[in-house]
Amino acid sequence: MEFTKRHPDIRNDAYCELATLLQSFARAGEGSPRLWERIQSHLIHAGVPMWPREISTIASAYSTSGRGTPEMYRLLENEAIDKISLFKPLSLSSVCWAFANADYPCNHLFTSIGPQ
């Protein structure tokens, strides 16, 4: 993980796999509350950059499961804003849906998408 912090342009495949796992748990309605909390805590405190696919999948998973917190959504929103030019339309619409579904007001993200 230290390598990824020094080289943020390197894709962190572990987060890609984690995002997919979380989405599977969310769709199946599985995973203990403690598991969701520990993964969320790790994501918030690890400081490892995420890429659009991971951001949108993790946001969707937490939104679907109902286990996201404002702190988690704020982290995901900031990550999305930092990488807005890298998003493909499907990932961008997915992350926007996740925030809307979670009733998280992501005004900064919407502002960064639209023209000033």
Side-chain angles (χ1 to χ4, degrees):
M1 190 158 322
E2 186 62 30
F3 178 81
T4 306
K5 286 183 181 178
R6 287 191 315 251
H7 303 280
D9 55 325
I10 302 296
R11 184 179 175 91
N12 188 345
D13 288 333
Y15 275 17
C16 182
E17 294 165 4
L18 177 63
T20 303
L21 178 67
L22 285 172
Q23 190 65 12
S24 299
F25 281 165
R27 287 186 179 164
E30 295 293 331
S32 72
R34 182 75 178 132
L35 171 71
W36 287 95
E37 290 167 9
R38 294 211 42 191
I39 291 172
Q40 180 173 263
S41 178
H42 169 76
L43 292 171
I44 291 169
H45 299 293
V48 177
M50 291 179 264
W51 295 97
R53 181 172 177 256
E54 289 83 18
I55 296 166
S56 64
T57 305
I58 291 170
S60 292
Y62 274 92
S63 175
T64 299
S65 71
R67 299 186 189 279
T69 64
E71 187 179 19
M72 177 68 166
Y73 292 120
R74 195 168 27 261
L75 166 75
L76 295 170
E77 180 181 21
N78 290 336
E79 287 284 322
I81 291 168
D82 288 346
K83 296 171 183 75
I84 198 72
S85 65
L86 302 175
F87 272 84
K88 293 182 180 177
L90 181 59
S91 291
L92 186 56
S93 63
S94 178
V95 78
C96 290
W97 171 88
F99 290 151
N101 189 54
D103 284 332
Y104 175 77
C106 56
N107 300 334
H108 297 292
L109 176 61
F110 289 146
T111 300
S112 69
I113 294 169
Q116 298 297 322

